[in-house]
Amino acid sequence: MIRVLLADDQHLVRSGFRVILETEDDIEVVGEASDGLAAVERAAQLRPDVILMDVEMPGVDGLEATRRITASTGEDGPAVLILTTFDRDDYLFAALRAGASGFLLKTGTPEALIDAVRILSRGEALLDPQLTRRVIATFARPGEVTPQRTADLGELTPRENEVLVLLAGGCTNAEIAEKLFLGEATVKTHVSRVLAKLGLRDRVQAVVFAYENGVVGPSRG
């Protein structure tokens, strides 16, 4: 059973999400929060698998709440899916840097929301391909990237570095396997090792990390 926490300052929105999700046999809404501080507290109390997080909430907003939750729980914590009505790049980039594993607009379909919850519950990341292109385009602009974290890239093997570069280009496991002449199972193992060595939660964070730390850029991406 996938345990979900809803964080949104609008009661009707939370009720709508609850109705959508609880029609599924494998999803259970275990709690709600009407602001970011309550979301942080409820996340610690309820230990959900996935948190649906609004951005604009009173007091502590959804981005700060996401930072606090991911910082305190690490890789074993809940996956945060940012849901917002605002299609703004600054929200998108801030959400990814805060540790969110997914970003969806509230204008999407109920089916898309259900699929997103299941994807994040499996430890995978979710970002619309159009948004991925925007992330890459922004991080590829010279002079616009300031490293947000440091890591020993020297820990990566040559093959793992190749995998990271392809991840940053938005390649799927199947595409990486084709480009490197490897089996998909082997690629999955390499991806897991890259994430573990760099302390990253998922593929989305790998894209951000690669551009922020100069692994790829305009001349290589």
Side-chain angles (χ1 to χ4, degrees):
M1 184 68 71
I2 304 170
R3 295 165 52 81
V4 177
L5 171 65
L6 307 176
D8 196 292
D9 63 336
Q10 298 184 45
H11 179 73
L12 285 177
V13 172
R14 298 198 307 274
S15 297
F17 288 157
R18 180 183 284 273
V19 169
I20 291 170
L21 296 175
E22 291 193 335
T23 60
E24 304 301 308
D25 294 336
D26 60 335
I27 299 176
E28 176 187 9
V29 176
V30 296
E32 300 182 14
S34 59
D35 59 62
L37 183 58
V40 175
E41 294 172 347
R42 298 291 277 168
Q45 295 167 355
L46 300 172
R47 302 180 64 83
D49 301 305
V50 178
I51 300 174
L52 272 54
M53 185 77 75
D54 186 26
V55 174
E56 294 195 347
M57 293 187 288
V60 177
D61 66 20
L63 299 177
E64 177 60 25
T66 298
R67 277 190 287 269
R68 294 184 187 184
I69 291 169
T70 57
S72 64
T73 58
E75 295 181 15
D76 296 328
V80 178
L81 174 64
I82 298 292
L83 285 164
T84 179
T85 56
F86 304 100
D87 185 9
R88 290 173 43 176
D89 286 353
D90 56 341
Y91 281 173
L92 170 61
F93 305 141
L96 299 181
R97 283 173 169 151
S101 295
F103 190 100
L104 284 180
L105 297 177
K106 291 180 180 177
T107 53
T109 65
E111 292 76 17
L113 177 61
I114 293 168
D115 288 344
V117 168
R118 288 176 175 147
I119 289 170
L120 265 65
S121 75
R122 297 196 297 265
E124 301 174 22
L126 176 73
L127 194 61
D128 182 272
Q130 182 177 351
L131 298 179
T132 301
R133 288 192 293 273
R134 279 163 50 186
V135 171
I136 292 173
T138 295
F139 283 114
R141 294 174 193 152
E144 293 196 9
V145 175
T146 300
Q148 299 295 306
R149 55 182 296 168
T150 58
D152 187 2
L153 288 167
E155 292 185 7
L156 299 184
T157 66
R159 178 64 83 189
E160 289 166 351
N161 189 70
E162 289 178 322
V163 169
L164 177 59
V165 170
L166 293 174
L167 279 178
C171 292
T172 65
N173 283 358
E175 290 168 339
I176 294 173
E178 182 178 358
K179 291 177 182 294
L180 298 182
F181 304 101
L182 299 172
E184 284 193 49
T186 300
V187 170
K188 185 175 181 180
T189 297
H190 283 312
V191 171
S192 296
R193 288 175 178 169
V194 167
L195 298 180
K197 287 182 178 181
L198 299 180
L200 304 173
R201 179 187 293 267
D202 51 45
R203 303 169 72 96
V204 171
Q205 288 193 1
V207 173
V208 175
F209 174 89
Y211 280 96
E212 287 181 334
N213 289 276
V215 176
V216 289
S219 64
R220 296 178 61 186

